[in-house]
Amino acid sequence: MSIASSSSAAPAVAAAALNWAGRLWFAVAVFGQAAFIGFILAYYGVRTATGNFAGWNDKPLIDGYVEGDPMGNVVFAAHVLLASVVTLGGLMQLIPVLRRRWPGLHRWTGRVFIVIALFMALSGMWLSLVRGTSLSPVSDAALLINAVLILIFAGLAWREALKRRFDQHRRWAMRTFMVVSGVWFLRVGLMGWVVVNRGPVGMNDTLSGPADIVLTFGSYLIPLAVLELYFAAQHSRHGAVRAAMATLLLLASAYTAAGVFGTIAFMWGPYL
Ligand code: HEM
């Protein structure tokens, strides 16, 4: 192969590497989010369906089921059970083959996803601010910012779809996916940190250790930053930029896989 042809092939190789690294990360995320959905249904779903509401507290929670607080318990139940629906809806929206083959389904799951995402943010704010479920001021602040971002991004994704500006819609929809997944990223981020460091370095029980603070705000700010870099790399004409982004996504996939393993092994598995 001549030098000229190998150098002209390099950008295409970098573009393919970026594409495959993106798919790899998404495949790991699909597996990890499916485990999250499975846990919610097997733990909260089964206990709620059998009327064992007090059983929500079989695992460590801040409040969960509180005797004599019917309103708080109903909002908590709706919040945790709809968490499985919003997570499934977000995944379905991002799977290209579903979008291409069944555009009508994409529109309906999109509407359901956005309405439930808005409910998740509002019910989460209600649990924090009205019910008073709180771990520490830092983690409360991080969650409230997450809620506000869900409200703004979901609204923008919807608006762009209505205005038929599909490139902008795709961007806002992916940003919405990242912030709606913030709670999942938080668990994966915390457990990934524990797995990588072989212990809870810089962490404490109220999520206010130095590593906790980075990971609670990072649970949506880091995925959003990586997403913006991904958009920029997709539009870059430089093979080196795409290759660097592909490498970053490989590292992100490895960390996410470690975190998914940690959530299943330490956070959810022991309570099923
Ligand atoms: C769409 C994103 C969200 C999902 C998927 C989600 C999911 C969950 C899940 C699964 C639980 C049960 C806790 C557990 O088993 O560990 C939970 C509880 C809770 N969530 Fe969310 N949540 C989301 C957004 C939010 C937001 C934005 C806030 C705050 C503003 C929030 C506040 C809470 C609170 C206060 C609890 C109760 C914790 C306890 O009593 O221990 N959530 N959420």
Side-chain angles (χ1 to χ4, degrees):
M1 190 190 282
S2 72
I3 293 174
S5 69
S6 69
S7 67
S8 64
V13 171
L18 179 59
N19 189 9
W20 280 104
R23 285 171 187 228
L24 173 69
W25 180 81
F26 187 59
V28 176
V30 169
F31 181 78
Q33 296 210 339
F36 188 41
I37 296 169
F39 163 73
I40 292 169
L41 296 179
Y43 184 85
Y44 290 110
V46 169
R47 282 168 173 75
T48 309
T50 55
N52 176 16
F53 308 126
W56 296 336
N57 299 356
D58 290 345
K59 82 188 227 355
L61 282 175
I62 313 169
D63 284 331
Y65 177 80
V66 177
E67 199 152 337
D69 179 16
M71 180 72 180
N73 293 333
V74 167
V75 176
F76 177 86
H79 184 84
V80 292
L81 294 174
L82 287 173
S84 63
V85 181
V86 84
T87 306
L88 179 67
L91 287 177
M92 285 176 66
Q93 289 311 91
L94 291 193
I95 295 174
V97 67
L98 290 184
R99 274 201 312 265
R100 271 198 307 271
R101 287 221 188 134
W102 294 288
L105 175 72
H106 177 77
R107 278 197 292 278
W108 272 106
T109 48
R111 289 179 189 125
V112 171
F113 170 73
I114 288 186
V115 170
I116 299 181
L118 297 176
F119 175 81
M120 292 304 294
L122 294 172
S123 57
M125 289 168 102
W126 189 91
L127 288 169
S128 300
L129 298 173
V130 181
R131 194 185 208 196
T133 303
S134 165
L135 207 51
S136 68
V138 184
S139 83
D140 293 351
L143 263 179
L144 288 173
I145 295 172
N146 192 356
V148 171
L149 292 180
I150 292 174
L151 296 176
I152 297 173
F153 291 4
L156 288 171
W158 198 329
R159 193 186 72 165
E160 296 305 314
L162 287 180
K163 297 207 163 182
R164 308 189 71 78
R165 290 195 290 242
F166 292 115
D167 192 44
Q168 284 304 315
H169 165 65
R170 177 180 153 268
R171 283 172 176 248
W172 283 112
M174 287 174 78
R175 290 176 186 131
T176 308
F177 174 80
M178 293 301 172
V179 289
V180 167
S181 302
V183 161
W184 175 78
F185 277 122
L186 176 61
R187 284 151 177 76
V188 167
L190 293 170
M191 288 298 113
W193 186 253
V194 170
V195 168
V196 168
N197 292 292
R198 297 176 184 214
V201 179
M203 296 170 142
N204 63 32
D205 288 345
T206 56
L207 274 189
S208 53
D212 294 317
I213 293 173
V214 172
L215 290 167
T216 41
F217 287 95
S219 65
Y220 47 93
L221 294 180
I222 295 171
L224 282 176
V226 172
L227 181 66
E228 294 308 316
L229 291 174
Y230 179 70
F231 288 151
Q234 275 186 323
H235 283 90
S236 169
R237 283 181 291 119
H238 302 290
V241 171
R242 291 182 169 184
M245 188 64 217
T247 310
L248 181 63
L249 282 178
L250 286 182
L251 293 173
S253 304
Y255 189 91
T256 308
V260 167
F261 165 77
T263 53
I264 295 171
F266 311 126
M267 226 179 210
W268 303 328
Y271 300 103
L272 291 180

